[in-house]
Amino acid sequence: MTAPLLRARDLTKAYHHKTGVFARPTSQLAADSISFDLMARERIGIVGESGSGKSTLGRLLLGLTSPTRGTVCFEGVDHDDRSSQDWIAFRKRTSLVQQNPLAALNPQMTIGEQVAEGLLVHRAASKAAAQERTAAMLERVGLSSAMMTRFPHQMSGGQRQRVVIARALILDPKLVVFDEAVSALDVSVQAQVVALLRSLWQERDLAYVFITHDLRIVRHLVDRIAVMYLGRVIETGDIRAVYEQPRHPYTRALLASVPTIDPSIRNIEPPIKGELDPDKVSQGCAFRSRCPFAIDRCTIETPLLRAFGAQRAACHRSEEFAGPMKPQAAAPPRKELA
Amino acid sequence: MTVVTSSRTIRGSLRAPFRGLPASVGLCCLWICIVGVIGVTARWMSPFDYLAQNPLSRFAWPFASASHLLGSDYLGRDVLSNVLVATQTTLMIALVGSVVCALIGTTLGLLAAHFGGWVDNVLMGFADAMASVPFIIIALGVLAMFGSSPLLFVFLVGFQNWERYARLTRGLVISAREEGYAEAARIVGVPAKRIYFRHMLPNIAGPLIVQFTVNFPEIILLESGLSFLGLGIQPPATSLGLMVADGRTYLAIAWWIAAFPGVVIVLTTLSISLLGDYLRDRFDARLR
Amino acid sequence: MVGFILARTFRAILVLIFTVTLVFIVLRLSGDPAQQMLSDSTSPEALAAFNAKWGLDRSIFEQYLFYVANALRGDFGISFADGREVFTVVSERIPKTFALTVPAFILSLLIGIPAGIIAAMHRESAVDKGVMAGAVLGYSIPNFLLGLVFIFAFAVWLRVLPSSGSSTWRHAILPVATFALYNAAAVARFMRSTLIDVLGQPYIAAARADGVPNIEIILRHALPNAAIPMVTTLGFVAGGLLGGAVLVEPVFAWPGLGTGFVNATSTGDLPVAQAMVLLFTAFMVVINLTVDVLYVVLNPKIRKQ
């Protein structure tokens, strides 16, 4: 067995905030004991509501914020052991695609300057070669190379996101974190970008972490999925296994709430109520206050991830969710999006 | 977001800056250009050596003869020549002072934002303390302790309101850092220095330029004030404030000695302030 | 609220300590204190007494403590100029400066606030344009120049008022007018923009929709809310008056703190100059603290906490 490209162990990030001058600082776990491996060319989806800590996880993986506890190891080198030289090398081999393409692009620099910058600061290409590769990259993501002289505000949202993707991939990274990479786009543009990402992955030696709240999109893009709730991974596993037979009531509720245009699919799951409430997580299951299946045990004992075939779930009653959630959800990814 | 949307047009608007320029702002620009030309060419333009005395034509009235267009003073020196040279001196001091101020303030603000923590607290505490006392008080104290020398004087006026640049830069850098583009550059592996100067500076330049136009006239006023009190520029050099002080004694018999340098001060500060207001409205609505 | 005021008081004290320390450091940096603080004709005994009093034969830290202790007692040594105690020299000038700045402060409010209100109520009217033009001019005309214009107009040309001195109340008219006009423009501009801000708030629109008469909207709804930001402005104005004293008082040969400070600076009278720096700083700290406290007292949002 080969070594994983990326290894996260026990990743925990606590945010402290003070409510007043004399108040005791309270801390909240944006990521709580997260562990997983990512092999080369593997694709993992991180799914959760806003506030579930999925963006924090992405930032931890890329070393943009340091964990309170735990380690991240990329290509055998621990983040904690990286010298500044190592960090530069790491930056060259990894990348991030951010949520809002308008904010992610510098309004004062041309598209060409921004896409080529990675090549230039890492001295990966001469000025002329960088120019050429930038033009090729822009064309690969479906833009014309004439757009190199444009400024971000002169483009549409979909075009900007293609630029951001081009910038992220120009150095041919081994790992990319997509943080809500298509969420800000119109649905029709989303489908195009999803198709672009699939074909880019096909032709490259690329592994990625796809962070999103959108279960509809993620199934077309990843091999594995991890569902997060209040900083914890509550269910993870092979994408098909999880979609066919979710073992956690939260995952079931999320999948049930995915909008569908097929009227024959009935929402058979009891809906979850309320919003994320970070104050109720000190003991027991974090989800219990919103869970329609909560029992007394859930208030006392924090459920841990347990294996069920190709997936793992953190729920005391996982065994009871044995059957497929709904027959239609078991169908393979629909082709029109791909 | 505001930074992005408000300043992304700097490059674009520099290409066509004079579209829809109000007449008053046009006049201001004209006067600033005139003063700028004087600042460069004063020594060649002045009809007389500004120090040359002529006992035969003391207190000559302005506009009365072709030789002394703006009259002459109590020693028979040509007022026009003096005003030209004084304008040059004042402009030079204000320019150097403004640049010094911008550099000090921007650098310290950048350091505060970059390091955060106690560096930030110390720098911003210092800024607060200095801002809470009128700068002229501090300036007088420093001049009392060190005595006046031209070099000290230029740096001293440059310290006025440095904290505005510092606060502005600090705030802008902190908010720019939160913008995706700065993080995106960091992820690509762009070094911090390049992120600050290549990525952030063009985006925060608009507000800093506006601050420059606010600061420049204030430094002119400070220079004039201190020179007026006899604590700034020392004879035989001359500046607008010094000329006003000089003419003050003869207000009753020769108003023009003080009036012309006074008018130059007012018109110059007025023009730059109005231009600054205009630029502020164009560039950045947040500073209003 | 008490916590806030305590925090602000603590900060004010911190600024004072900071200034005293800075003055001490700069004084020590700028040369030998004995040479600076004593005139050349000092006898050896007086020199020894001086050194003992300021602890100059001790470590720099002890010197600092001596300095702070003396400053707290108001003892800043002897003025070079006339050999009197600095404390006396400075303190007899304080009422003179207040005699100008206090009336000027009140006057600038009496002119500026109504002008600002009228300007805000009648946008684009003659008053509005006058206020805005006055404010822009106020930024551009140095106050000493305005003083000279007044002297030229009323003392030289019309010959109705004295140009310099302080012997009668008529001597105060021109300097007070200079200060007041200068600051009234700033007050009016702030009042105008604050009131325009407040008048744009939804609760004003709601009151309008309820049929509340215009005058009542201004008096009962808008002004109390505009008062809060205005307090901060008054701090600026008060600070501007003190800073302006340094330039305006000498124009009219008014024997206040400003003239005293300028004279001390130009003659190198260090004992007086350092006392002036500390005194002006203390005034500013008190003003800023007052503004902070007033701000809390006037603001029901903070007051309730």
Side-chain angles (χ1 to χ4, degrees), chain C residues 49-71:
Chain C
F50 177 85
N51 281 341
K53 181 179 157 195
W54 296 91
L56 290 181
D57 41 2
R58 307 189 189 213
S59 74
I60 189 80
F61 183 68
E62 282 173 292
Q63 288 183 33
Y64 172 65
L65 292 183
F66 268 87
Y67 183 82
V68 173
N70 284 328

Side-chain angles (χ1 to χ4, degrees), chain B residues 126 128-129 132-134 136-137 140-141 143-146 221 224-226 228-229 231 244 248 251-252 255 262 265-266 269-270 273-274 277 280, chain C residues 15 18 23 26-27 30 136 139-142 144-145 148 151-152 156 239 243 246-247 250-251 261-262 265-266 270 273-274 277 280-281 284 288:
Chain B
F126 186 50
D128 277 350
S132 67
V133 181
I136 193 155
I137 304 295
L140 281 185
L143 289 171
M145 289 172 203
F146 290 103
L221 291 183
S224 307
L226 287 174
F228 173 76
L229 295 175
L231 300 171
V244 173
R248 180 186 155 195
L251 217 49
W255 52 266
I265 295 176
V266 174
T269 50
L270 187 68
S273 296
L274 286 178
D277 278 356
R280 184 170 51 183
Chain C
V15 171
F18 172 78
V23 169
V26 174
L27 271 175
S30 61
V136 174
Y139 284 135
S140 317
I141 302 182
F144 63 88
L145 207 59
L148 285 183
I151 288 181
F152 185 74
V156 174
V246 168
L247 283 162
V251 173
F261 197 177
V262 171
T265 302
S266 47
L270 261 190
Q274 47 140 340
V277 171
F280 274 101
T281 308
M284 285 315 302
N288 288 335

Side-chain angles (χ1 to χ4, degrees), chain A residues 101 150 152-162 185 189:
Chain A
R150 294 231 191 134
H153 65 270
Q154 297 166 323
M155 314 184 92
S156 73
Q159 288 174 326
R160 285 187 206 121
Q161 193 58 290
R162 287 168 194 268
L185 304 175
V189 183

Side-chain angles (χ1 to χ4, degrees), chain A residues 59 62 64 88 91-92 94-96 98 100 102-110 113-114 117-118 120-122 151 153 167 171, chain B residues 1 3-5 7-11 15 179-191 194-195 198-200 202-204:
Chain A
R59 298 174 58 82
L62 291 179
L64 293 171
I88 292 171
R91 292 281 170 244
K92 193 178 166 188
T94 60
S95 199
L96 173 73
Q98 290 146 308
N100 180 349
L102 181 59
L105 291 171
N106 192 327
Q108 298 285 342
M109 287 167 78
T110 63
E113 284 171 330
Q114 301 195 55
E117 185 165 36
L120 296 177
V121 296
H122 290 292
F151 286 95
H153 65 270
R167 179 177 64 187
L171 282 163
Chain B
M1 271 315 287
V3 177
V4 181
T5 45
S7 55
R8 67 156 184 245
T9 48
I10 288 180
R11 273 196 194 179
R15 285 189 195 120
E179 300 277 345
Y181 71 81
E183 184 168 71
R186 206 146 73 90
I187 288 156
V188 170
V190 180
R194 190 176 153 94
I195 293 183
R198 182 77 182 83
H199 288 254
M200 285 190 188
N203 280 296
I204 66 175

Side-chain angles (χ1 to χ4, degrees), chain A residues 127-181:
Chain A
K127 265 213 155 122
Q131 198 81 354
E132 232 164 79
R133 277 177 69 176
T134 303
M137 191 70 223
L138 284 177
E139 272 166 17
R140 178 62 197 89
V141 298
L143 298 171
S144 122
S145 56
M147 286 189 167
M148 282 173 72
T149 53
R150 294 231 191 134
F151 286 95
H153 65 270
Q154 297 166 323
M155 314 184 92
S156 73
Q159 288 174 326
R160 285 187 206 121
Q161 193 58 290
R162 287 168 194 268
V163 172
V164 172
I165 292 168
R167 179 177 64 187
L169 295 180
I170 188 98
L171 282 163
D172 207 8
K174 300 293 155 236
L175 171 71
V176 177
V177 173
F178 292 95
D179 187 358
E180 299 279 13

Side-chain angles (χ1 to χ4, degrees), chain C:
Chain C
M1 179 171 148
V2 176
F4 176 83
I5 293 174
L6 280 179
R8 284 307 156 109
T9 313
F10 177 72
R11 217 180 76 171
I13 293 170
L14 217 61
V15 171
L16 275 181
I17 294 174
F18 172 78
T19 316
V20 172
T21 312
L22 200 68
V23 169
F24 173 79
I25 292 172
V26 174
L27 271 175
R28 286 297 175 275
L29 278 181
S30 61
D32 177 28
Q35 259 175 20
Q36 288 179 324
M37 305 294 276
L38 299 174
S39 52
D40 296 337
S41 56
T42 312
S43 66
E45 300 83 56
L47 187 69
F50 177 85
N51 281 341
K53 181 179 157 195
W54 296 91
L56 290 181
D57 41 2
R58 307 189 189 213
S59 74
I60 189 80
F61 183 68
E62 282 173 292
Q63 288 183 33
Y64 172 65
L65 292 183
F66 268 87
Y67 183 82
V68 173
N70 284 328
L72 281 178
R73 272 187 271 120
D75 186 346
F76 296 99
I78 309 289
S79 161
F80 297 167
D82 48 10
R84 292 189 299 152
E85 287 273 328
V86 170
F87 185 77
T88 329
V89 174
V90 171
S91 55
E92 70 188 16
R93 285 178 178 270
I94 294 177
K96 287 287 187 186
T97 290
F98 280 176
L100 289 190
T101 47
V102 172
F105 185 71
I106 296 169
L107 208 58
S108 55
L109 296 192
L110 287 181
I111 302 170
I113 289 181
I117 293 175
I118 295 171
M121 286 172 68
H122 307 283
R123 307 269 301 266
E124 303 294 316
S125 69
V127 176
D128 188 23
K129 283 176 180 155
V131 164
M132 290 313 284
V136 174
L137 275 176
Y139 284 135
S140 317
I141 302 182
N143 45 13
F144 63 88
L145 207 59
L146 189 64
L148 285 183
V149 170
F150 278 173
I151 288 181
F152 185 74
F154 295 98
V156 174
W157 190 38
L158 296 173
R159 295 174 190 278
V160 289
L161 287 167
S163 68
S164 63
S166 68
S167 40
T168 69
W169 63 270
R170 293 180 66 236
H171 287 89
I173 293 178
L174 284 183
V176 167
T178 306
F179 271 133
L181 205 67
Y182 203 69
N183 288 295
V187 172
R189 185 186 152 130
F190 279 117
M191 186 72 229
R192 174 186 179 275
S193 62
T194 311
L195 199 55
I196 286 175
D197 257 12
V198 172
L199 287 175
Q201 297 295 316
Y203 56 81
I204 298 291
R208 284 238 162 85
D210 288 348
V212 180
N214 210 5
I215 185 80
E216 184 132 327
I217 284 180
I218 296 286
L219 290 180
R220 281 184 28 86
H221 294 264
L223 282 183
N225 286 296
I228 300 163
M230 275 308 283
V231 167
T232 324
T233 307
L234 296 188
F236 279 122
V237 172
L241 281 170
L242 278 181
V246 168
L247 283 162
V248 174
E249 283 183 6
V251 173
F252 297 97
W254 185 269
L257 289 171
T259 308
F261 197 177
V262 171
N263 290 344
T265 302
S266 47
T267 56
D269 194 348
L270 261 190
V272 174
Q274 47 140 340
M276 286 288 186
V277 171
L278 294 179
L279 183 67
F280 274 101
T281 308
F283 277 143
M284 285 315 302
V285 165
V286 171
I287 289 170
N288 288 335
L289 189 60
T290 316
V291 167
D292 284 346
V293 171
L294 271 181
Y295 191 84
V296 179
V297 170
L298 281 175
N299 196 336
K301 275 188 230 155
I302 306 178
R303 196 169 53 205
K304 291 253 170 59
Q305 283 177 359

